Every structure is written in structure tokens, then in C-alpha cells.
Amino acid sequence: MSARATAGEKAGLAALALLGLLAGGAFAGLVLSATRQGGDVAGAFDTWLWSAARFTLWQAALSTLLSVLPAVLVARALFRHRTFPGRGLILGLFALPLAIPGIVAALATLMLYGRAGLLAPVLAPLADGQWPGVFGLSGILLAHVFFNLPLAARMALEALEAVPADRWRLAAQLGMGPAARFRVIEWPALASALPGIAGLVFMLCATSFAVVLTLGGGPSASTLEVAIYQALRFDFDPARAAALTLTQLALTGLLVTGLQSMGAPLTGETNLTLARHGYVPPVSRSQAISGMFVIAMAAAFVGGPLVAMLLSGLQADLPRLLGESAVRQALVTSLALALASALLAVALTLALLRLRLDREKARRRGVSQGWIEWAAGNGASLILLVPPIVIGAGWFILAVEAGQLRLTGIIGPALVTTVNAAMAMPFVMRLLGPAHDMAAARHDRLSANLGLTGWMRLRLIDLPALKGPLAAGFAFAMALSLGDLGVIALFGSEDFRTLPWLLHARMGSYRTDDAAGLALILALSCLALMMIAARAGRVRA
Amino acid sequence: MSGGLEVELRDVRLSLDGFEACFDARLEAGSITALVGASGSGKSTFLNLIAGFDRPGSGRVLIGGVDMTERDPANRPVSMVFQENNLFGHLDIAANVGLGRSPSLRLSATDRADIAQALERTGLAGKERRKPAELSGGERQRAALARVLVRDRPVLLLDEPFASLGPALRTGMLDLLTALQRETGMTLVMVTHHPEDAVALGGQALFLEDGRVAASGRASNLFGPQGPEAVRRYTGRT
């Protein structure tokens, strides 16, 4: 093996070790607390825990149902009508929620449906003159459907677009009517994609944190993740947090195993564009009308909170906000953390990709590779099994147990950076993986032949070839980190705050105008990054 | 069986995403014609125009002397076999063939008898209940041909139907195809990359280049040593 291979090997193993340390440290924290207060952990499996677990599943199931069923109608309508003006705009609109941080979406939901929301005057007559606003389950469902209906619609549309054009031609020639076409072509295509779509949406809703933290809370509307946060942040009860975390891990473990056995994607959509299609099945007049109605309703539902967010954000005193030192400090911290974690995410992903490829080749030569190849290939998606709040909780407990809570000034930023990077990795992997493997197939033997190794090879061959996907992965990871309210919720303080944390704090102290302004700034920053990611991803080397 | 109908593209022009095609051709009733040419020469477009999947910008498409230009694909006397995706994966072979008789699969006893006979004729007897995924590539194309028999339309269009089959299988399929054509008298048009397929079909051939018919004649002449220059350039026999 060449020197480059061993350098790549080391980088890859180091990346695996870091991920292992991240999860292992959290686990150690939990075990430590469990052994210290053994009886209490078992005792913490009380009715409150089970009700949080039940609510987690219940709201996720409802969110999935309310997202996926309408999404199928929307996807069918969008598939049939491919020429109406504004179709591209609506597809773009459907990509927007993905780019928006959970905390912003939660706030946008309040801005539209809340007690003082845009729709409150319209809804007031329905509630005897005083609209009570959405809170708890109804708010959580609205926000989750806002996120996931467009996601599910785009995935279902993709499934329909994947039907070979010849199928539609054949159906046209055989004279199939709409019913026969649905039965013979559309339903099989949708049916094979639906379990994956529903599974992904369920997983996203079961592990959603920022939305539930903002709109739910309290014993009646608390998910496991939020309960973990509350146990640590308010009750300071590591034993309860450990019990909750174990339950959460068991739950996500089951979900991920189930999802993977269905062949579902774990990362959803990362690109903002959709392929065009050659053959257009004919549409009747009544279908056209009902289709346009469905599309208009969905667009209004997705666009509504965005408009509410924009309007209330613009009403905020943005110049004053940006002048505040707390805001500027949070902005700088957020950007620095986002840059660092994006860099880390891309580096870790590259290292794992290289390691997997090398191990795969070695296996083909007959050298048994065992778990390392498997870990290199799956490590990135396995990290999704461990929700960020759980990793944060484990390390938080560890820091407490070690009596070093004051050290959170160091542990906090390091942990936020690493966990955000790890969470972005599955997405970066999907953006970068195919291009990386293709470039490797094209250049590996030639580079070895020319003796091009190590840094020189990275600089001369790999980086130029992967420029587009690398930029896309970087921007995507940065956007995710910028909008994240996960680990920071535990470690954040007056001395260490990010934009989402500040936004959450302002909402908590009912400074709604400030919150709206911050939400707008945050949303626009994330959106800009996502658009860069989409554009860069389209440029192929 | 219904016999064949004459197919005519009368001064047909269309442009698709910058690609310009211009066809003027007449295929006799009951004839066999191979369409040969490089990728992008317009072979599939030629078939799509006859089947009605593409509409001409100007000119007329006639089948059996009747103007078909404005007719929907379902109302044309045409069957088509594609390279792949001729069968619906979740339906068994009998149902896939039955779609040729009724798109909603409401089948009479006569229909069922015809389906069984068509499967028998194409060597698929006993595989009625199989799903497409359980058949080989060759068997799947036989099932597509069985549906053509059940559908019983005077014109059969095939778009590189055997391109993903090995040489021996391809020869067998060509034999089956010519036999079926003799029995039914269908007008047969097949797109292929391979001149030897055109010769094996034993009929006419059109050589397409840049959306135009560049040469035509008996396949054996067109692809023989005395063939036109453009054709010899394509086959590499200069």
C-alpha cells in the first residue's frame, strides 16, 4: 500500500475514533450516573416517563398521518400538472421548510395561528370571540406538518417521476383511463415509496426537539427529548435523564432498524431541484380543477407561516437588534461554531469515505475487513440513532459528575461543534459520496501510477474534482449548525449563546418582537446557505 | 388475424429540444421494415410519431390511408414493444398480457382463451402466474409479444426490443418475431442498432441520419458490400 493509503487510513480511523468517543463519552456519563445512583435510575421509570414516551409516539404518528396523506394528493397533482405557471415556484416553496431551523418554524406557527397571530381575527368567531391560540399538541402538529408535508410531497413526486416514461406511453396506447392508470402505475410506485417516506417523517417527528420545546412542554405535551432537557436543565435530575435517555435510545434504535429494513432513506432530501420528465399523461378538466385546488391549499399552508414570519420579523426593530451586543455576540458565536462544525463535518466525511473505499478494495483482494469497513460505511448514518440531546445529556452528566460544570466554557463549544458536525455527516455523505467514489474510480490508479499521494493528491486531484459537492456539503452543514437548537439548549448560558439559543430565551421572556426579528435573521442566513448548497451541488465536476 | 395496414409519414416535421426531424416515408401493408441508425438519428421519434406519443409540427401521419395525426395513442391501430418496462411489475404475466385486451382487466372467457393461446404461442405456457421479476429478460419480451398477439392491431412497432439480450437469445427472438409476422400479416417496424438484425428480419430497411431517412432499400442490399456510402460509414465496412 502506498503512503497516501496509510495517511488516508489514519485520517479515517481518527474520524471513527472521534465519533466513537462522542457516543462513548455520552454513554459513560449515563453509566456513571446510573451506578452512582443505581436505585434512582430504575425508580425514574415512572408514569411520567411512560407518558412522555407515549406522547412522543402519539404526536409522531399523528404528524406522519397528517403530513403523508395530503402529500400524496399534492404529489399526484404536481405530477399531472407540469406546465402551469408558478410550478417551479411552488416546488421551491416546498423546499423552503427544510432550510428553516425548527425553532424558527415553531415561532412562525405561533405568528400565524397563535393567540395574537395573523389568523387570530379570522379564527376568533370560531372560538366565541377570543381565539385561544394553538399550543401543545395542536401547535406541534401544525409545525410538524408544515415541515413534513412538503418533504413527503417532494419524495412522493420523485417516486412518480421515477416511473419510466415508456410505462405511461404503454398505458396511453392500451387506452387506460385515470382509474386504471392509478391502479396499474401510480399506486404501485407510491406504495413502494410510502413506507420509506412515512418512516422518515415519523423518525423526524419522534426526535424533533426545538418544535416541541417551543410549542409543547409540560407533562401533557412533552416528548422524551424535551423531558431529558427539562430533567437536566430545570430539575437537575441526572438519574431521570439517564432513564429517559435509555428509553429514547431504545426507541430510536427500533425506529432506525425498522427504517433500514424497509430500505428507507434516513436523511431525506438534500437537493432542492427535481428532474424533468419526458411524457405527460393526459389530464381531464375535472382532474385539472381538483388538482389545482389541492396545490393551492398546500401552497397556502406552507406559505402561511413563512409570510407570518416575514411580516412580524419586518415589524421588529432590526437595526436596534443588530446593535445589541448580546445579538452581535450570539451572531459571531453562531457563525464561528457553524464554520467549525461544517469544516469538521466535511473533513470527517471525506476521511470516512476514503476509509470505506480502501477497505472495500482490500476486501475484494480477499483481505477480510470485518467491522471497520462496516463502521466506515454506516458510521455516519448510525449517528442519527443517537439524538444530539442524548449526546449532550451524557456529556453534561459526565461534566457534572466530574464536578467540572465550570469547564462547560470549554466543553460546551467543543461539544456543540462536534455534535453538529456529526449530525450533518449523513447529509454531507449523501452530497459527497457519489462524486467522491466516482472521482476515486477515475483517478486512483493513475495517481498511484504517477506516485501522487497525500496532501499533493488531495490538492491537485481530489479537491478540484470535488469542488462542487464539497461546497454544497459545507454550506449544508453550516446551515444545519447555524439553526440548531440541540446541545446548545443544555450548555447555553449568558456567556455562551448562539442565535437560536438567544431566540429561545427571548421567546421565553415574552419579547416576541425581538424573537420575530431574530427568527427572520436566522431564517434568511440559513436559507442563503441552503441556496448556495443547492447551487454548488448542481455543478458537477 | 387482422392483417397489416399501410403506414405513411407524409412530409412530417417536428422539433424536440433543438432536435429537428423531417420524415417522408411509406411502408407497405404487411411489410417488414428495420430502422437503423446511430443514437440521436431519430429512430425512436419515427416510432413515436406513428404511435402518437409525439405529434408532428406539420405534415400528416396516415395508417391504412386514414389520417391519424390528431388521434390519441389508444385509438390508433398500433401496438408497441419497448426495450424494457413492457410489463407492470406487480401484475402476473397473464394479467400483463390481458391488458392488451382490456385496460381495466375485465376479461371474458374468450379473452382468457386467447390469452392462454398467445402465451402458448410465445412459449410461456405454464408461466401465467409468474411475476415479471421471476422471468428472464427474453421471457419478459416474449410476454410483451404475447400481448401484441392478444391486442391484434395491424401495425407493430418495436423500439430496440432485444437490445438487452445476448446474441443467441436475440436470434431466437427474431425468428419468433418473423414467424408471428407471417402468421398475422402485421406491418412490422423495428428499431435496431444492429444491421445483422435488419438483414435477419428479411425485409426493408431505412437508414436514418440527423432526423432524416438517409438511405432505404432491401436490408440485405442496404447493408451489403454495395450499400450506400453513409451506411458503410456507419457499419464500418468501407
Side-chain angles (χ1 to χ4, degrees):
Chain A
M1 269 218 166
S2 66
R4 155 77 189 153
T6 36
E9 190 102 313
K10 275 183 202 152
L13 292 174
L16 272 186
L18 184 68
L19 289 180
L21 179 70
L22 200 63
F27 192 67
L30 287 173
V31 170
L32 201 66
S33 109
T35 47
R36 284 270 183 94
Q37 330 184 6
D40 289 333
V41 174
F45 284 94
D46 53 14
T47 48
W48 200 77
L49 182 146
W50 295 123
S51 88
R54 237 190 343 263
F55 182 77
T56 306
L57 294 175
W58 173 235
Q59 62 83 17
L62 280 180
S63 302
T64 307
L65 206 65
L66 293 174
S67 300
V68 174
L69 290 186
V72 169
L73 296 180
V74 175
R76 280 190 74 202
L78 279 172
F79 180 74
R80 287 217 199 97
H81 307 281
R82 41 196 60 245
T83 48
F84 70 87
R87 184 175 186 268
L89 223 59
I90 284 185
L91 285 177
L93 174 70
F94 280 10
L96 279 185
L98 268 183
I100 285 176
I103 176 98
V104 174
L107 185 64
T109 303
L110 287 178
M111 295 296 178
L112 185 64
Y113 306 104
R115 202 153 57 87
L118 273 186
L119 283 182
V122 186
L123 294 167
L126 298 177
D128 297 329
Q130 180 61 48
W131 174 244
V134 292
F135 44 79
L137 184 60
S138 56
I140 293 170
L141 290 182
L142 280 170
H144 280 169
V145 175
F146 164 76
F147 267 123
N148 292 303
L149 189 152
L151 171 73
R154 285 163 55 88
M155 289 174 80
L157 180 59
E158 209 169 66
L160 288 174
E161 306 247 3
V163 174
D166 285 348
R167 283 269 150 87
W168 296 106
R169 295 200 173 104
L170 198 57
Q173 183 167 79
L174 296 173
M176 290 187 187
R181 271 207 306 270
F182 180 73
R183 203 157 32 85
V184 174
I185 304 184
E186 291 174 43
W187 176 244
L190 286 170
S192 65
L194 274 182
I197 299 173
L200 177 70
V201 171
F202 189 88
M203 178 79 184
L204 289 174
C205 293
T207 56
S208 133
F209 177 73
V211 164
V212 181
L213 180 66
T214 313
L215 297 170
S220 63
S222 208
T223 56
L224 286 167
E225 295 216 16
V226 171
I228 294 170
Y229 163 80
Q230 285 167 341
L232 287 176
R233 189 86 192 184
F234 298 135
D235 310 334
F236 210 76
D237 187 347
R240 169 178 292 280
L244 287 163
T245 302
L246 288 174
T247 315
Q248 169 83 7
L249 275 181
L251 193 68
T252 45
L254 275 176
L255 285 178
V256 170
T257 325
L259 273 178
Q260 284 195 324
S261 69
M262 284 190 288
L266 286 175
T267 49
E269 267 304 289
T270 48
N271 57 349
L272 302 177
T273 53
L274 277 170
R276 294 242 155 215
H277 194 270
Y279 185 74
V280 187
V283 183
S284 76
R285 187 158 180 81
S286 63
Q287 277 179 329
I289 293 169
S290 66
M292 289 321 261
F293 178 73
V294 167
I295 292 173
M297 291 295 285
F301 182 79
V302 176
L306 295 172
V307 170
M309 180 192 71
L310 190 67
L311 289 180
S312 43
L314 288 175
Q315 271 164 18
D317 191 351
L318 289 175
R320 178 186 58 77
L321 262 182
L322 286 171
E324 261 183 58
S325 71
V327 173
R328 280 210 303 251
Q329 191 196 32
L331 195 61
V332 170
T333 310
S334 280
L335 281 175
L337 289 174
L339 273 173
S341 72
L343 207 58
L344 188 61
V346 169
L348 288 175
T349 307
L350 268 184
L352 282 193
L353 282 170
R354 189 71 238 175
L355 181 67
R356 182 181 48 79
L357 209 62
D358 287 346
R359 292 293 166 144
E360 198 181 297
K361 277 190 201 151
R363 180 166 49 80
R364 289 223 196 90
R365 286 197 305 268
V367 187
S368 170
Q369 291 305 314
W371 64 273
I372 291 191
E373 183 196 344
W374 180 85
N378 294 291
S381 44
L382 275 182
I383 203 74
L384 286 182
L385 196 141
V386 192
I389 199 74
V390 166
I391 296 183
W395 282 89
F396 191 85
I397 294 173
L398 202 64
V400 173
E401 293 283 339
Q404 297 297 332
L405 199 54
R406 284 199 204 105
L407 270 185
T408 50
I410 301 161
I411 296 177
L415 211 57
V416 171
T417 306
T418 325
V419 171
N420 284 352
M423 292 304 143
M425 277 181 67
F427 299 91
V428 180
M429 192 75 109
R430 244 178 79 158
L431 286 169
L432 208 51
H436 173 272
D437 290 356
M438 215 160 72
R442 215 182 296 157
H443 304 311
D444 269 4
R445 279 180 297 176
L446 186 60
S447 303
N449 186 241
L450 295 171
L452 213 49
T453 59
W455 171 243
M456 280 305 279
R457 172 182 159 149
L458 196 65
R459 196 166 64 86
L460 289 178
I461 310 288
D462 293 334
L463 291 185
L466 297 175
K467 210 163 50 188
L470 273 176
F474 188 87
F476 195 91
M478 220 180 134
L480 280 189
S481 174
L482 200 61
D484 179 71
L485 182 71
V487 179
I488 187 70
L490 284 173
F491 285 85
S493 70
E494 295 294 315
D495 305 319
F496 174 46
R497 51 191 166 193
T498 62
L499 222 44
W501 192 89
L502 191 66
L503 170 53
H504 182 241
R506 292 281 158 98
M507 283 175 79
S509 48
Y510 298 101
R511 292 168 68 180
T512 317
D513 279 356
D514 283 8
L518 290 174
L520 187 61
I521 295 171
L522 193 56
L524 290 179
S525 317
C526 290
L527 198 60
L529 284 168
M530 287 293 189
M531 283 169 80
I532 292 173
R535 184 148 306 176
R538 242 174 282 151
V539 183
R540 285 272 169 261
Chain B
M1 289 286 173
S2 55
L5 287 176
E6 182 191 69
V7 174
E8 187 178 357
L9 298 185
R10 193 180 287 167
D11 202 20
V12 166
R13 286 163 195 275
L14 95 162
S15 58
L16 273 175
D17 306 323
F19 171 75
E20 298 278 338
C22 172
F23 296 122
D24 197 57
R26 216 172 58 84
L27 315 175
E28 275 174 42
S31 65
I32 296 181
T33 309
L35 294 179
V36 187
S39 307
S41 58
K43 305 187 296 286
S44 295
T45 307
F46 194 101
L47 293 194
N48 284 343
L49 281 164
I50 302 173
F53 301 131
D54 286 336
R55 297 287 165 93
S58 69
R60 318 301 311 167
V61 177
L62 292 90
I63 300 177
V66 181
D67 191 339
M68 297 280 157
T69 318
E70 302 302 328
R71 270 205 211 176
D72 283 338
N75 299 325
R76 299 190 184 203
V78 169
S79 292
M80 187 146 170
V81 174
F82 301 98
Q83 181 178 339
E84 277 165 4
N85 301 313
N86 286 297
L87 306 179
F88 296 100
H90 64 294
L91 297 177
D92 65 23
I93 296 307
N96 265 295
V97 173
L99 283 174
R101 191 55 63 84
S102 156
S104 54
L105 284 178
R106 275 186 280 273
L107 300 168
S108 68
T110 331
D111 293 337
R112 287 179 201 288
D114 288 349
I115 292 165
Q117 198 188 351
L119 285 169
E120 173 94 47
R121 180 65 192 88
T122 48
L124 291 173
K127 302 195 169 161
E128 292 83 355
R129 296 282 154 256
R130 301 274 183 92
K131 292 283 169 67
E134 300 166 58
L135 298 189
S136 70
E139 286 173 325
R140 283 201 285 272
Q141 295 306 67
R142 284 171 184 272
L145 289 179
R147 183 165 60 214
V148 168
L149 289 178
V150 168
R151 209 168 130 75
D152 189 21
R153 301 279 167 118
V155 178
L156 171 59
L157 311 173
L158 305 105
D159 195 351
E160 301 201 48
F162 313 133
S164 43
L165 306 181
L169 263 179
R170 223 168 70 212
T171 313
M173 294 296 288
L174 283 169
D175 290 346
L176 174 63
L177 190 59
T178 44
L180 292 179
Q181 194 275 337
R182 264 198 310 278
E183 290 162 26
T184 59
M186 296 180 282
T187 308
L188 187 156
V189 190
M190 183 174 109
V191 164
T192 175
H193 264 102
H194 302 283
E196 60 271 26
D197 285 1
V199 175
L201 279 175
Q204 304 291 309
L206 300 181
F207 180 75
L208 269 55
E209 207 171 46
D210 297 331
R212 249 153 260 273
V213 178
S216 62
R218 286 209 64 81
S220 48
N221 295 337
L222 204 60
F223 297 107
Q226 306 304 318
E229 158 90 42
V231 177
R232 280 185 285 129
R233 231 181 6 247
Y234 173 74
T235 56
R237 285 184 216 122
T238 43

